[in-house]
Amino acid sequence: MAERLPQASRQRRGKAMTAAAGSAGRAAVPLLLCALLVPGGAYVLDDSDGLGREFDGIGAVSGGGATSRLLVNYPEPYRSQILDYLFKPNFGASLHILKVEIGGDGQTTDGTEPSHMHYALDENYFRGYEWWLMKEAKKRNPNIILMGLPWSFPGWLGKGFNWPYVNLQLTAYYVMTWIVGAKHYHDLDIDYIGIWNERSFDINYIKVLRRMLNYQGLHRVKIIASDNLWEPISASMLLDTELLNVIDVIGAHYPGTRTVRDAKLTKKKLWSSEDFSTLNNDVGAGCLGRILNQNYINGYMTATIAWNLVASYYEQLPYGRCGLMTAQEPWSGHYAVEPPIWVTAHTTQFTQPGWYYLKTVGHLEKGGSYVALTDGLGNLTIIVETMSHKHSRCIRPFLPYFNVSHQFATFLLKGSFSEIPELQVWYTRLGKPSKRFLFKQLDSLWLLDSGGAFTLELQEDELFTLTTLTTGGKGSCPPPPESQPFPQVYDDDFDVDYPFFSEAPNFADQTGVFEYFTNIEDPGEHRFTLRQVLNQRPITWAADAYNTISVIGDYKWSNLTVRCDVYIETPEKGGVFIAGRVNKGGILIRSARGVFFWIFANGTYKVTGDLAGWIIYALGHVDVTAKRWYTLTLIIKCEDHSPSQHLEMTTAGIY
């Protein structure tokens, strides 16, 4: 394309390069210029023939599960700084959508999140941290869209079956109470509600849920289904008019930027309702940059929601550091603003839900893509990406090979955009740190004498935003404290009269739910405790262990002492354990190995090498009974140990 530019345009390019050289750092960034004469291969951005689909926003998921667990324990000001990078408009990721897990007491990837109804007559709308997180998001962006989705359900809904659709009315009531509780106790309006994450949907349940919401006056709450694949939900909607009418959005997970014919035939909004899920380095940022554009270009998806919001869980749990940023050290206050934050900002800071895509979007001749959006009031935002195959592979699905190479891309503004005089320019280049730029503002691009045309010089792994909006900003805070390992000496007496959160700091429940509990019958040292509160297995999403367990600590520990006061509530069949050097968690918790020291209410003890209790090192009798306090001590000394092979955490379980 460059060879076809006429001499006048080449002269203007030289002037543009000369002007750019005066700005600090500009010698290292690409060429931006206006073209006096436009070659025939220009990419036209035009609204004369109408607009494309309505843009619904970019968001992220907290949950699925317990991915924000450590965030709540951060001291100030670091916790507020992290939240600003995620939600504050024109500061960082500036997210439009927050999707949270409706806690169901089950293991849902990196831990369990507590239900607001452990039992049928139990309602508590202050458990967990998702309520708090939604309020913090709303505090920073009152217009943020809120979504709720169950992964697991409390066991009482299944009536003995591992299935949430045994009583459709009961499950719909349970979900409805979460929505009503969010409003009544926290003044939170939930905008969208899902069915069952990545599991089966029930057509009749979706209809019952809609009727239940309407009966409660929640007509404004929209239903998204089925948070799995495009099919069979799309085909089911085409075959059932009532189902088609009650579902507002079809949400698919990890669609690979593609949709299916049936989904388009429904004429419903199409969302990538969970995507990304990739290590938050430059490759993960490249993945996100590519799909934020191409989910619409290839698949007509008008919203993309990243899993997960912030990697605020122990890194050795499954999918460590797969958040937009990393905040996994509340004990030190250290956090990292990762590249996906700034890749997200290229879209979120210069668009809003309710804008519209132009019809004239697509792929670049030598690889990459471009989209353009407008608010219909004269504003225009253009996002161009050239992410290479090597540096934009998401964790899923498989990415077919494609090539991206150096190119000059000329864009021509037509229709209502033809008279735009100036575009602000923001730029990201991923790759080697010495050549990397993250969300850098360049000199604005003047179009007054260009006939609405401009040319970009594009290399691999770059991202441009060109916009009429002048409100963008790269927020910054003072550097957080240096990274520190988990304290080698750690203790907690749980002596908190009115805890702000239901869970004790740094404990990450993996099966079961451990909550602060005040034992009013004990005036002594065990008045304040941490109690495992479930007595029924939840309707599971993953392979929960058969014994409850919560983890805390540092995976690098090898020689350690664990000491804990314990209390068995269930006579004869009850028991409790403490453990160290546990090597697995999250969805792999059932097969966890380590050193486990158990005592039982029937007067026995054992030491095992696994949570399931199959590998027995020692066993015998001991003077133990239920309803009494005991102090357990486990001392582990290892002569030959490779720390990198183990998730080293102290753990406790009660049943």
Side-chain angles (χ1 to χ4, degrees), residues 11-69:
Q11 292 172 354
R12 186 173 183 86
R13 181 188 306 169
K15 293 178 182 179
M17 292 179 69
T18 302
S23 299
R26 282 297 304 275
V29 300
L31 174 64
L32 304 169
L33 58 121
C34 300
L36 288 177
L37 298 175
V38 180
Y43 303 101
V44 177
L45 302 175
D46 190 0
D47 62 350
S48 301
D49 191 32
L51 300 172
R53 294 193 174 211
E54 182 180 6
F55 174 66
D56 295 309
I58 306 299
V61 184
S62 172
T67 53
S68 304
R69 175 66 194 91

Side-chain angles (χ1 to χ4, degrees), residues 111-143:
T112 67
E113 297 203 23
S115 170
H116 64 288
M117 295 179 72
H118 292 319
Y119 318 108
L121 299 179
D122 165 60
E123 289 188 53
N124 184 327
Y125 297 93
F126 295 91
R127 292 190 183 116
Y129 37 85
E130 303 295 4
W131 315 104
W132 166 83
L133 184 62
M134 287 189 284
K135 286 190 289 187
E136 292 294 325
K138 276 285 187 182
K139 185 189 302 182
R140 288 161 174 80
N141 178 7
N143 296 319

Side-chain angles (χ1 to χ4, degrees), residues 142-159:
N143 296 319
I144 196 167
I145 295 165
L146 299 178
M147 302 175 62
L149 175 66
W151 268 251
S152 64
F153 296 84
W156 61 273
L157 288 173
K159 297 186 178 298

Side-chain angles (χ1 to χ4, degrees), residues 35-322:
L36 288 177
L37 298 175
V38 180
Y43 303 101
V44 177
L45 302 175
D46 190 0
D47 62 350
S48 301
D49 191 32
L51 300 172
R53 294 193 174 211
E54 182 180 6
F55 174 66
D56 295 309
I58 306 299
V61 184
S62 172
T67 53
S68 304
R69 175 66 194 91
L70 298 177
L71 175 61
V72 297
N73 306 140
Y74 264 80
E76 294 293 352
Y78 312 116
R79 188 173 70 177
S80 289
Q81 292 170 3
I82 295 164
L83 294 166
D84 285 348
Y85 280 116
L86 294 169
F87 301 118
K88 187 176 179 179
N90 303 312
F91 189 86
S94 306
L95 294 171
H96 303 138
I97 302 170
L98 174 60
K99 178 178 179 179
V100 303
E101 177 178 351
I102 300 176
D105 297 334
Q107 169 63 246
T108 55
T109 299
D110 290 301
T112 67
E113 297 203 23
S115 170
H116 64 288
M117 295 179 72
H118 292 319
Y119 318 108
L121 299 179
D122 165 60
E123 289 188 53
N124 184 327
Y125 297 93
F126 295 91
R127 292 190 183 116
Y129 37 85
E130 303 295 4
W131 315 104
W132 166 83
L133 184 62
M134 287 189 284
K135 286 190 289 187
E136 292 294 325
K138 276 285 187 182
K139 185 189 302 182
R140 288 161 174 80
N141 178 7
N143 296 319
I144 196 167
I145 295 165
L146 299 178
M147 302 175 62
L149 175 66
W151 268 251
S152 64
F153 296 84
W156 61 273
L157 288 173
K159 297 186 178 298
F161 296 92
N162 195 42
W163 190 245
Y165 306 129
V166 173
N167 185 323
L168 304 184
Q169 293 280 350
L170 196 60
T171 300
Y173 172 80
Y174 166 80
V175 171
M176 179 273 297
T177 60
W178 184 85
I179 299 171
V180 172
K183 180 63 175 178
H184 181 75
Y185 292 97
H186 303 285
D187 197 26
L188 293 168
D189 291 306
I190 304 301
D191 299 289
Y192 291 87
I193 198 73
I195 307 304
W196 189 13
N197 182 73
E198 295 176 353
R199 297 295 182 262
S200 300
F201 63 88
D202 182 288
I203 291 174
N204 290 323
Y205 167 73
I206 298 173
K207 297 174 182 177
V208 167
L209 178 62
R210 180 71 270 167
R211 289 195 292 270
M212 179 79 71
L213 295 176
N214 291 348
Y215 180 76
Q216 293 294 326
L218 299 170
H219 300 82
R220 65 175 298 278
V221 179
K222 298 178 180 179
I223 291 178
I224 179 171
S226 66
D227 281 293
N228 200 344
L229 304 176
W230 293 117
E231 298 289 13
I233 188 67
S234 300
S236 300
M237 292 169 67
L238 293 174
L239 294 171
D240 187 327
T241 303
E242 184 183 357
L243 182 67
L244 180 69
N245 290 335
V246 301
I247 293 175
D248 299 280
V249 176
I250 303 177
H253 287 193
Y254 307 97
T257 76
R258 303 288 176 177
T259 187
V260 298
R261 179 176 177 272
D262 282 351
K264 288 182 284 187
L265 288 175
T266 66
K267 298 183 179 179
K268 294 288 184 176
K269 290 178 177 289
L270 308 179
W271 289 10
S272 176
S273 53
E274 185 177 314
D275 219 324
F276 179 57
S277 187
T278 303
L279 188 67
N280 56 23
N281 56 14
D282 276 20
V283 173
C287 153
L288 189 58
R290 177 175 54 80
I291 64 177
L292 289 182
N293 266 20
Q294 297 191 28
N295 274 348
Y296 182 74
I297 295 167
N298 300 337
Y300 302 99
M301 286 165 268
T302 54
T304 296
I305 302 174
W307 188 91
N308 58 69
L309 174 72
V310 53
S312 203
Y313 46 98
Y314 290 107
E315 186 172 343
Q316 292 70 37
L317 292 169
Y319 305 103
R321 284 187 53 208
C322 284

Side-chain angles (χ1 to χ4, degrees), residues 522-541:
D522 189 334
E525 60 179 337
H526 298 119
R527 179 177 176 82
F528 299 100
T529 62
L530 191 66
R531 185 189 195 195
Q532 200 292 117
V533 297
L534 301 187
N535 61 13
Q536 184 177 12
R537 189 172 177 82
I539 297 172
T540 58
W541 183 82

Side-chain angles (χ1 to χ4, degrees), residues 457-472:
E457 181 183 9
L458 301 172
Q459 307 282 354
E460 289 185 353
D461 302 320
E462 292 184 328
L463 191 60
F464 279 93
T465 297
L466 303 102
T467 180
T468 55
L469 298 182
T470 59
T471 51

